[in-house]
Amino acid sequence: MNRPTTRSKNKKPKPSDDVDKISDTLRKIHASGEITQDDINQLYNIGKPVCQGCRVNAKDNPNCFCGLIPSPNGSRKSGIWQKMSDVIQSLGPDPFKELRASLDSPAGLTNLGATCYANSILQCLYMNATFRRGFLSIEVDVLRKQPVLDQLARLFAQLHASKRAFVDSAPFIKTLELDNGVQQDSHEFLTLLLSLLERCLSNSRSVVARTIVQDLFRGSVSHVTTCSRCGKDSEASSKIEDFYELELNVLGLKSLDESLNDYLRVEQLNGENQYFCESCGARVDASRSIKLRTLPRVLNIQLKRYVFLPKTTTKKKITSAFSFPRELDMRKRLCDPAQADLIYDLSAILIHKGTAVNSGHYIAHIRDEKAGQWWEFDDEHVSNLGDHPFGEDSSGYKSKPSQKEPLRHSSPVSAAGDATDDVLPHLAENGDSEHSEIFSSADAYMLMYNLRQTNTHLQKTFTVLDANNIETEHTNSTSNDITSLPFYLRDEVDELNASYVEACHQYKLQKETTLHLMEERRQEVRLILSEAPVQSFEEPFYWISANWLRLWVDNIMPPVLDNTLIQCSHGKVHMAEVGSMKRLSACAWVKLFSKYGGGPALANDDYCVDCLKEAANRLVCADSYRDRRKTMKELADYALSGNCSDGTYYVSKAWLQQWVKRKITDAPSEADAGPTASIRCPHGQLMPEQAAGARRLLVPENLWLFFYEDALTVNPDDPLGCPSFHISSEQCCQCSEKISEVACLEDSLRAVKNKQRENHEKLAAGKSFPILPYHKYYLLPSVWLTTWRNYVNASGKNTLSCNEPESLDSVIDKLTCAKHLRLLERPLDLVHKRGAIFQKVSLTDGLTIITSSDWKCFCEEWGCSENKGISAIIEHDNDAQDKGMCGKESLIGNEQLGSIDGSNNRLDERRLVIRTSPEVCEECVGERASSELMQRLNYCNEDIYVTFVHGKEVPKSILEAPEAAFDPGRRISKRSRRTNYGSAVNLKVSGSTSIYQLKMMIWESLGVVKENQIIHKGHTKIEGESSTLADLNIFPGDTLWVRDSKIHEHRDIADEISIQKMDVEHAEEGFRGTLLTTDFPS
């Protein structure tokens, strides 16, 4: 049983079927002159059914409204049918996403490219409540004079009370003149920033603000050297030095306790490092150490993770784990025990993510002094970590359990003077923090510890100057209420918050309006399209432009209804626009027209009778034209085949050949114009047939009349554009005379060239002739002989167009130097072939030997005196030396000379030289050769060929590869390709490319490690890496070959490239050129 076919099921009729029906209807209208309703239904496709479920909208069916809107689950890229998410995205960034959760939640800072190092430090300073309040107590007039202080105060104020989740740090970064695209060291930034702030704050009248940096961050140390003999300290030991951070080693150390011991360890000076003691008057053994004199309230500890590698002269990051306590006891570390309460709490951890020194990313984990919660500051993103610096569930820390019961202090006070409820572990008698929680991190770069205050009643008061310079007191509150800000900053933050709230309101309003309007439009479109189809022939309907309908369906704000595109010149419905309009029910039309206006209204009876009759007439005319053209094509074929005996008019043969090949159309086209354009001369007459492109044919009169009518139809305003040339028309006399003159000139020139070819038979044919010693010859430039040979051998159309050689008189003058009156060119070398001496052949270089008879004829033909010629005689080198003359040597090998048999033909086994008169100017020739060599070696971005040879034997074609004739316009593949003896690749190089760079290219292209490459050019080995290709005379187009020694192991080229980048990297500029390193007047 055969499977039933379903291929033709629901198959749409072919467009050709509809075209045939329309054509038949139009022919019927033309024949009868009447238009029936059935004709209208057929021509305007009114009878086509109302389709449903089509995937696309049918253009040939005015009753099809399918595909105008997407499916229920579908969407479009624009308009009202977009995805709602795309519509919301098109409204721009949602300001509500930038809303700060609450003022108790810290705000972030924008990363301007590579400013994470600055953001982390700024957050550490801001989150220190004591520093923040002291800094914000600066007077208004001081801020106005100090841009750095002013911008930092504005930044702190926005971090304090802004409604945004993050604050723009660009104004402050710009004030410091930092490059926001360059990563810097956060420790260096903190050091320079504190120094800058200290200088700027020295002008403040507020006691707290003026010394806030020193009060919080400054401690003191001394470097003590003690004599082992007398026990006295050196004079320099009494010198106290300030510090703002302790820089501790990390390499080889595992914990903060070990790093502090390393920092304070005693160093013994003995042997060559002995100390000269003033008291003892001699070099003695001594001890040297660092003594901590005073400690600051905020102890900054810099972990020296970046170490310098002398071997590579670069820095490397130490990524080993390092542990540090939550509580740090520094009582036993201080040399003076007077400062008893030295218990510090961990308040901030600066973290550097990444393994590279000059890249990576900085974040900060900071403890909120009021709530005791830890926060992660990652530029714009701020996350709550809970009670632990690395998060509640993080494995990035470890803690040691307490061995004794902890002591609970009543309302202990933090370094900022704020009351907290922390539980402090009991301290061991040795003062170590061994019972405190211990955290470990491989990326911690800086630690900040705040001094713990135990006085519960401590409430520090800060003085702030208001607008009238009246001092007002502010207590040590940590509230984030905006009222705690100074007035001048409070107003600015209020204004920024109001602007942000207004932006949120406008965005919300725009979003709601847009979504509501889109939903309304979607409902309107669905409703009207459901009412659009006309259900019966009797029901009244209106025509509507399909283009406008699509705009109305898709756009949120549709344009005015426009039906002008489907109107004919008579204001009716144009039959030709049936594919661009739809048949709309009266109900749907009234709704659209009443809302959008426009028009005009085109009802069911607004079809154009005049246009229908005109279309019928055009169709019948087109039928007639096609029939006539078929008949004329047969006549044209006869004319082209030479079988036309009744031809009476001339047409262009080339035009007629193209006309026959063209497709038969309904009407003439532009190509049908100008059947005689190419055979008409500039004088308007018949062009002589000998002229180029003037070949013609005779065609019958009826065919010519058809051509003429078509030409006039195409160009009615140019009747002279198609002149008629009857068989009796005479050729243009002027053009004939001109062609005759050219023909005579060609004949005479042809005779002259024939004569010269006879006089110089071998030279014209490019054949060499044997040269005899001690015979006089003459020399001519090879390039001139090549031009002459092309000239005399040119024939046909090239007879007159070929370039004529330059006169010999000027050519000979250019061969001698003005300084020494000697030759600037050398004769070509001599070679031995078949027992005779010949000269090498070149088309462009050097001087070529010619016979005396050739020289005499050339002088007569090309205007030169015979005495002006450059003579040449072939001599043996010893004869030339006896005469004291220098000539051009031509070396002939013994194996070549030895091949000559016979006593009469055997040449003397001595070197032959060409003695010229005048002699070759070695000085000028050498200078010119050197200049040309330098020009050839001064190339850029050109190709050379490198072949990777695998076998033991190197192919002769590579060893003896000549210098390639370089063609800069030639396209060359860059891909590696296989050959019979290995891989080959083309490399883009310059004369300044070093051998090291070349080896890196070969490594990348062929996979041979740089150290294993053995490179050759021919038989010459290329060594070293510092030389350039120009130094080794490697030209564009040269072929190099390389072998793999396989001595060194294969490694990734990326490692070499990274090392190379580090080697060529310039010295770090750091903050040079910024405001941080500028001498700031105090």
Side-chain angles (χ1 to χ4, degrees):
M1 181 177 178
N2 294 330
R3 182 177 179 181
T5 177
T6 58
R7 272 189 121 148
S8 59
K9 184 179 180 181
N10 297 329
K11 191 173 182 181
K12 291 184 179 181
K14 294 182 179 179
S16 59
D17 298 338
D18 293 337
V19 172
D20 292 341
K21 292 179 181 179
I22 292 174
S23 300
D24 293 341
T25 303
L26 291 174
R27 291 189 184 97
K28 174 189 168 187
I29 293 174
H30 183 269
S32 64
E34 297 179 356
I35 302 175
T36 65
Q37 186 61 43
D38 291 338
D39 296 337
I40 297 298
N41 293 343
Q42 180 66 48
L43 294 174
Y44 286 88
N45 293 335
I46 294 175
K48 290 203 172 185
V50 177
C51 57
Q52 294 179 353
C54 298
R55 288 179 297 175
V56 294
N57 186 256
K59 290 186 177 181
D60 60 342
N61 186 355
N63 300 314
C64 177
F65 293 92
C66 301
L68 291 176
I69 62 175
S71 60
N73 295 328
S75 62
R76 289 180 180 165
K77 293 183 179 180
S78 60
I80 64 174
W81 305 103
Q82 287 186 88
K83 293 180 180 179
M84 287 303 180
S85 58
D86 294 340
V87 175
I88 295 174
Q89 186 177 3
S90 66
L91 299 178
D94 185 357
F96 284 96
K97 293 182 179 179
E98 302 176 10
L99 181 63
R100 193 169 178 174
S102 67
L103 291 180
D104 293 329
S105 175
L109 290 172
T110 55
N111 191 332
L112 307 177
T115 56
C116 57
Y117 68 95
N119 290 346
S120 301
I121 294 298
L122 292 173
Q123 293 284 15
C124 289
L125 294 178
Y126 168 77
M127 291 295 288
N128 188 302
T130 306
F131 178 80
R132 178 173 71 245
R133 284 191 301 273
F135 184 81
L136 292 178
S137 65
I138 306 172
E139 306 87 334
V140 180
D141 57 335
V142 175
L143 290 178
R144 290 172 180 171
K145 295 178 183 178
Q146 304 285 355
V148 175
L149 300 181
D150 183 50
Q151 290 298 334
L152 186 58
R154 294 172 188 269
L155 186 68
F156 277 9
Q158 292 182 52
L159 287 172
H160 188 74
S162 174
K163 290 184 178 295
R164 291 181 180 267
F166 52 86
V167 176
D168 185 13
S169 60
F172 180 68
I173 298 297
K174 186 176 180 180
T175 302
L176 293 180
E177 301 175 3
L178 299 178
D179 186 349
N180 56 21
V182 178
Q183 177 78 282
Q184 299 285 7
D185 181 35
S186 60
H187 164 245
E188 185 180 2
F189 174 73
L190 175 61
T191 302
L192 295 174
L193 179 62
L194 291 179
S195 177
L196 177 62
L197 294 178
E198 187 175 349
R199 296 196 303 271
C200 294
L201 290 169
S202 62
N203 296 319
S204 175
R205 297 186 298 278
S206 171
V207 178
V208 175
R210 186 168 59 248
T211 61
I212 188 66
V213 175
Q214 300 94 310
D215 291 344
L216 288 182
F217 302 103
R218 188 173 65 182
S220 60
V221 298
S222 60
H223 295 79
V224 179
T225 304
T226 305
C227 176
S228 299
R229 180 182 300 177
C230 65
K232 293 183 178 180
D233 295 340
S234 65
E235 293 183 5
S237 301
S238 60
K239 182 179 179 182
I240 306 298
E241 298 179 4
D242 293 336
F243 74 88
Y244 290 83
E245 68 279 323
L246 295 179
E247 297 187 28
L248 304 184
N249 291 323
V250 174
L251 183 62
L253 305 173
K254 297 180 180 181
S255 66
L256 181 60
D257 191 58
E258 291 182 10
S259 293
L260 286 171
N261 292 337
D262 176 73
Y263 181 75
L264 299 174
R265 67 182 174 85
V266 178
E267 180 184 2
Q268 298 298 326
L269 303 178
N270 47 38
E272 295 181 357
N273 296 325
Q274 278 188 327
Y275 158 72
F276 182 82
C277 179
E278 296 288 344
S279 299
C280 301
R283 296 180 65 86
V284 296
D285 292 344
S287 61
R288 184 167 59 191
S289 63
I290 297 176
K291 302 292 185 183
L292 293 175
R293 300 296 181 181
T294 60
L295 291 176
R297 294 175 63 185
V298 178
L299 181 61
N300 291 335
I301 298 177
Q302 167 65 28
L303 303 180
K304 296 166 68 175
R305 287 195 176 274
Y306 301 157
V307 295
F308 181 77
L309 303 177
K311 185 176 181 180
T312 60
T313 66
T314 58
K315 288 183 178 180
K316 181 181 179 181
K317 179 183 176 182
I318 300 173
T319 57
S320 58
F322 188 83
S323 60
F324 46 91
R326 181 191 290 268
E327 174 188 298
L328 180 64
D329 185 1
M330 295 293 290
R331 289 178 296 184
K332 299 297 184 181
R333 306 287 184 183
L334 201 65
C335 63
D336 184 6
Q339 201 172 352
D341 294 335
L342 289 177
I343 307 299
Y344 285 84
D345 292 319
L346 182 65
S347 61
I349 307 169
L350 191 69
I351 295 173
H352 176 263
K353 295 182 177 181
T355 58
V357 173
N358 296 322
S359 60
H361 184 58
Y362 286 98
I363 63 173
H365 292 189
I366 308 174
R367 181 176 176 269
D368 182 3
E369 298 175 2
K370 176 184 177 183
Q373 296 286 303
W374 282 87
W375 297 86
E376 180 182 80
F377 294 85
D378 186 357
D379 294 328
E380 297 91 346
H381 307 288
V382 180
S383 307
N384 190 306
L385 299 176
D387 295 330
H388 296 278
F390 297 96
E392 299 286 352
D393 301 326
S394 174
S395 59
Y397 73 93
K398 61 182 180 180
S399 60
K400 291 182 180 180
S402 300
Q403 296 179 0
K404 297 184 180 180
E405 289 295 324
L407 297 177
R408 185 180 298 275
H409 294 259
S410 59
S411 301
V413 180
S414 69
D418 302 320
T420 63
D421 295 324
D422 290 344
V423 177
L424 305 178
H426 177 71
L427 297 173
E429 294 181 359
N430 60 4
D432 294 337
S433 304
E434 61 180 6
H435 302 295
S436 173
E437 268 189 301
I438 303 297
F439 306 103
S440 178
S441 172
D443 292 319
Y445 185 57
M446 184 184 296
L447 305 174
M448 285 189 178
Y449 284 89
N450 285 0
L451 182 64
R452 183 183 301 166
Q453 302 289 346
T454 57
N455 298 326
T456 59
H457 62 279
L458 184 60
Q459 289 286 334
K460 198 159 188 177
T461 302
F462 296 96
T463 303
V464 180
L465 297 181
D466 62 11
N468 299 319
N469 289 333
I470 300 175
E471 294 187 355
T472 59
E473 292 185 351
H474 290 263
T475 59
N476 221 3
S477 172
T478 59
S479 172
N480 275 30
D481 187 359
I482 193 170
T483 57
S484 63
L485 290 175
F487 74 94
Y488 55 90
L489 297 175
R490 186 189 315 149
D491 295 342
E492 180 178 334
V493 174
D494 281 341
E495 183 178 349
L496 291 174
N497 286 340
S499 175
Y500 171 67
V501 171
E502 178 62 21
C504 291
H505 174 71
Q506 292 297 332
Y507 178 85
K508 181 180 179 182
L509 182 63
Q510 183 184 10
K511 178 180 175 181
E512 292 176 351
T513 303
T514 302
L515 296 181
H516 178 69
L517 182 59
M518 287 187 65
E519 189 58 35
E520 280 189 348
R521 286 282 295 115
R522 289 184 179 185
Q523 292 178 4
E524 176 194 17
V525 169
R526 291 191 181 100
L527 176 62
I528 292 181
L529 288 184
S530 66
E531 300 174 352
V534 182
Q535 302 299 334
S536 64
F537 288 106
E538 294 77 15
E539 184 181 345
F541 64 88
Y542 288 85
W543 293 103
I544 190 169
S545 170
N547 292 331
W548 182 88
L549 195 62
R550 290 188 181 92
L551 292 176
W552 169 77
V553 165
D554 286 334
N555 292 339
I556 297 180
M557 302 296 293
V560 176
L561 198 155
D562 183 12
N563 267 347
T564 57
L565 294 177
I566 62 174
Q567 278 185 301
C568 68
S569 58
H570 309 102
K572 301 292 184 177
V573 181
H574 204 302
M575 186 201 74
E577 300 296 334
V578 68
S580 301
M581 55 190 181
K582 295 295 179 182
R583 187 165 162 255
L584 203 65
S585 67
C587 176
W589 168 262
V590 169
K591 290 183 178 180
L592 289 176
F593 187 71
S594 61
K595 183 173 182 179
Y596 299 102
L602 300 173
N604 52 326
D605 56 350
D606 284 333
Y607 55 87
C608 186
V609 176
D610 295 334
C611 289
L612 291 177
K613 290 182 177 180
E614 184 181 348
N617 185 51
R618 282 199 307 269
L619 178 66
V620 173
C621 292
D623 293 342
S624 175
Y625 179 80
R626 281 197 302 271
D627 294 338
R628 286 186 63 199
R629 184 147 182 163
K630 287 180 182 178
T631 304
M632 295 303 146
K633 185 174 182 298
E634 295 176 358
L635 294 177
D637 288 333
Y638 278 117
L640 287 172
S641 62
N643 298 325
C644 181
S645 58
D646 56 345
T648 54
Y649 287 89
Y650 287 114
V651 296
S652 169
K653 183 178 181 180
W655 180 91
L656 187 60
Q657 289 172 337
Q658 293 298 323
W659 184 87
V660 169
K661 294 178 181 178
R662 280 198 293 274
K663 199 179 207 182
I664 296 178
T665 56
D666 296 340
S669 62
E670 290 289 338
D672 293 328
T676 57
S678 62
I679 63 174
R680 176 191 176 193
C681 75
H683 311 101
Q685 299 181 21
L686 185 62
M687 179 79 76
E689 195 166 8
Q690 295 84 357
R695 298 184 64 186
R696 51 185 176 262
L697 287 174
L698 284 171
V699 297
E701 184 176 1
N702 56 347
L703 180 57
W704 164 250
L705 292 176
F706 180 80
F707 290 157
Y708 187 76
E709 290 175 7
D710 284 356
L712 290 182
T713 302
V714 174
N715 294 321
D717 299 330
D718 187 16
L720 297 179
C722 185
S724 302
F725 295 112
H726 192 262
I727 190 173
S728 60
S729 301
E730 295 184 358
Q731 298 180 0
C732 179
C733 298
Q734 299 180 32
C735 293
S736 298
E737 291 177 2
K738 185 177 180 180
I739 291 175
S740 299
E741 291 175 0
V742 173
C744 293
L745 180 61
E746 288 181 350
D747 291 341
S748 60
L749 188 59
R750 193 176 296 110
V752 170
K753 292 182 177 181
N754 290 336
K755 181 65 174 175
Q756 291 193 29
R757 283 200 298 271
E758 292 176 1
N759 293 340
H760 313 280
E761 183 178 355
K762 288 192 174 182
L763 288 178
K767 296 180 180 179
S768 301
F769 60 91
I771 300 173
L772 300 176
Y774 304 106
H775 281 64
K776 186 176 183 180
Y777 296 96
Y778 286 87
L779 299 173
L780 279 180
S782 300
V783 64
W784 186 91
L785 282 175
T786 301
T787 305
W788 169 83
R789 188 178 298 113
N790 294 335
Y791 175 73
V792 297
N793 289 328
S795 60
K797 296 180 180 179
N798 298 326
T799 302
L800 297 177
S801 61
C802 191
N803 294 330
E804 184 177 317
E806 192 178 353
S807 66
L808 271 181
D809 193 51
S810 60
V811 170
I812 298 299
D813 290 340
K814 294 177 183 177
L815 288 178
T816 56
C817 63
K819 185 178 180 181
H820 309 99
L821 298 179
R822 294 185 177 184
L823 286 181
L824 291 173
E825 295 278 355
R826 297 182 187 274
L828 295 172
D829 292 340
L830 301 176
V831 294
H832 176 263
K833 293 180 182 178
R834 297 181 297 277
I837 302 172
F838 294 88
Q839 190 182 27
K840 287 185 176 180
V841 177
S842 175
L843 299 178
T844 56
D845 299 329
L847 301 175
T848 299
I849 296 175
I850 62 172
T851 63
S852 299
S853 60
D854 285 329
W855 169 249
K856 183 177 180 181
C857 293
F858 275 137
C859 289
E860 295 175 358
E861 295 161 356
W862 296 99
C864 185
S865 173
E866 293 185 28
N867 298 329
K868 205 172 182 179
I870 301 171
S871 62
I873 298 178
I874 312 302
E875 295 182 348
H876 293 101
D877 58 348
N878 57 347
D879 295 338
Q881 292 171 5
D882 293 341
K883 295 179 182 179
M885 297 186 179
C886 178
K888 171 76 170 90
E889 291 188 357
S890 176
L891 305 181
I892 303 180
N894 292 332
E895 68 278 0
Q896 292 176 322
L897 292 176
S899 64
I900 304 176
D901 296 328
S903 59
N904 295 331
N905 292 333
R906 187 172 184 85
L907 295 175
D908 195 354
E909 293 189 6
R910 290 174 291 174
R911 292 189 301 177
L912 297 176
V913 297
I914 303 174
R915 181 168 58 84
T916 63
S917 178
E919 300 174 6
V920 176
C921 185
E922 299 294 340
E923 180 180 348
C924 294
V925 169
E927 289 179 358
R928 187 170 67 175
S930 177
S931 176
E932 291 175 353
L933 179 62
M934 292 302 296
Q935 290 180 0
R936 289 184 63 195
L937 292 173
N938 188 25
Y939 57 92
C940 180
N941 199 30
E942 305 293 357
D943 287 281
I944 63 171
Y945 311 98
V946 178
T947 301
F948 180 26
V949 178
H950 296 292
K952 295 182 179 180
E953 299 264 337
V954 182
K956 188 176 181 181
S957 59
I958 297 179
L959 286 175
E960 300 177 0
E963 290 186 6
F966 178 66
D967 181 9
R970 178 185 174 193
R971 288 190 62 189
I972 301 177
S973 172
K974 298 180 181 179
R975 294 182 297 177
S976 176
R977 57 193 182 279
R978 299 288 299 177
T979 63
N980 294 333
Y981 40 81
S983 303
V985 69
N986 305 322
L987 300 178
K988 288 284 186 183
V989 296
S990 303
S992 58
T993 301
S994 66
I995 300 301
Y996 174 82
Q997 293 171 323
L998 176 64
K999 288 185 174 182
M1000 293 297 292
M1001 294 180 189
I1002 295 174
W1003 189 354
E1004 183 178 6
S1005 301
L1006 299 176
V1008 183
V1009 179
K1010 175 174 63 72
E1011 293 80 6
N1012 289 346
Q1013 295 175 21
I1014 305 175
I1015 307 175
H1016 291 78
K1017 178 184 177 183
H1019 295 277
T1020 305
K1021 184 178 179 181
I1022 297 175
E1023 297 180 331
E1025 293 186 348
S1026 59
S1027 301
T1028 64
L1029 301 186
D1031 296 338
L1032 301 175
N1033 287 350
I1034 297 176
F1035 301 97
D1038 277 358
T1039 299
L1040 308 180
W1041 59 278
V1042 61
R1043 270 200 171 123
D1044 187 356
S1045 66
K1046 299 182 180 179
I1047 297 176
H1048 301 275
E1049 293 183 359
H1050 177 75
R1051 68 178 189 277
D1052 192 352
I1053 191 174
D1055 298 335
E1056 180 73 17
I1057 293 175
S1058 62
I1059 294 174
Q1060 179 185 0
K1061 286 182 179 179
M1062 288 192 295
D1063 290 341
V1064 301
E1065 194 174 60
H1066 297 294
E1068 293 182 13
E1069 293 292 330
F1071 292 94
R1072 187 180 305 168
T1074 67
L1075 203 62
L1076 292 172
T1077 56
T1078 304
D1079 290 335
F1080 197 87
S1082 60

